[in-house]
């Protein structure tokens, strides 16, 4: 799977501050990955594995699940902040499909983010999720706990 050097960047230190950013992080997807995702999600719609069905449905070919795309983007945030438990909420609008060619390499999405609001309690991260130069998710915002790990915990 494609992972670029930015993927291995050190995790952000909380508390986050407005303007902090990460990425782009390149996340690969091939037919094998989306078939495995179909099994895990029980979404066996054939547009996610059959070119014939995808074309009949008006697509240019097999597409990745929208929820896989959102999950991959969220995973980039978790990789940056270093704590999946810090995620409070997420939102996104699906704007374009991710076409997945029938090749060994597949394709990829690029995820980058910037903190657009931050206070002592939470931070909001705006994401850009790009495939082939075009945005595939719109209005993507992730709200995270903005306390430093261990802060606010009682013994």
């Amino acid at each position: 799977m494609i992972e670029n050097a930015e993927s291995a960047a050190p995790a952000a230190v909380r508390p986050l501050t407005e303007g902090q950013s990460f990425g782009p992080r390149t996340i690969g997807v091939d037919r094998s990955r989306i078939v495995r995702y179909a099994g895990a999600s029980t979404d066996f719609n054939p547009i996610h594995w059959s070119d014939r069905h995808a074309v009949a449905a008006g697509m240019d070919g097999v597409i990745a699940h929208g929820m896989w795309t959102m999950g991959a983007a969220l995973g980039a945030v978790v990789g940056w902040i270093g704590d999946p438990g810090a995620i409070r909420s997420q939102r996104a609008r699906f704007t374009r499909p991710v076409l997945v060619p029938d090749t060994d390499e597949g394709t990829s999405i690029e995820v980058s983010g910037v903190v657009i609001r931050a206070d002592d309690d939470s931070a909001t991260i705006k994401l850009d999720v790009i495939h082939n130069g075009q945005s595939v998710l719109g209005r993507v915002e992730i709200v995270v706990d903005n306390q430093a790990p261990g802060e606010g915990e009682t013994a």
Side-chain angles (χ1 to χ4, degrees), residues 4 16 22 42 75 136:
N4 69 16
L16 299 171
F22 76 91
T42 68
V136 294

Side-chain angles (χ1 to χ4, degrees), residues 111-130:
V111 181
S112 56
V114 62
V115 177
I116 58 170
R117 285 184 294 284
D119 60 33
D120 292 341
D121 183 55
S122 67
T124 301
I125 304 165
K126 179 186 176 296
L127 296 185
D128 289 317
V129 183
I130 307 296

Side-chain angles (χ1 to χ4, degrees), residues 78-96:
V78 169
W80 184 51
I81 64 171
D83 179 7
I87 303 294
R88 291 189 180 176
S89 66
Q90 65 176 358
R91 74 174 194 173
R93 184 172 179 200
F94 302 106
T95 57
R96 283 190 180 78

Side-chain angles (χ1 to χ4, degrees), residues 17-37:
T17 57
E18 213 170 289
Q20 270 184 285
S21 64
F22 76 91
R25 178 177 178 199
T26 302
I27 303 168
V29 59
D30 59 15
R31 297 273 178 104
S32 174
R33 181 167 284 199
I34 60 174
V35 166
R36 290 191 312 267
Y37 182 86

Side-chain angles (χ1 to χ4, degrees), residues 31-109:
R31 297 273 178 104
S32 174
R33 181 167 284 199
I34 60 174
V35 166
R36 290 191 312 267
Y37 182 86
S41 68
T42 68
D43 179 353
F44 296 107
N45 186 326
I47 65 172
H48 301 302
W49 53 267
S50 166
D51 282 310
R52 183 172 53 87
H53 285 92
V55 170
M59 308 292 172
D60 291 331
V62 167
I63 61 170
H65 300 76
M67 291 305 294
W68 176 87
T69 306
M70 184 60 224
L74 183 61
V77 172
V78 169
W80 184 51
I81 64 171
D83 179 7
I87 303 294
R88 291 189 180 176
S89 66
Q90 65 176 358
R91 74 174 194 173
R93 184 172 179 200
F94 302 106
T95 57
R96 283 190 180 78
V98 174
L99 187 65
V100 182
D102 190 10
T103 63
D104 289 340
E105 300 79 28
T107 191
S108 62
I109 60 172

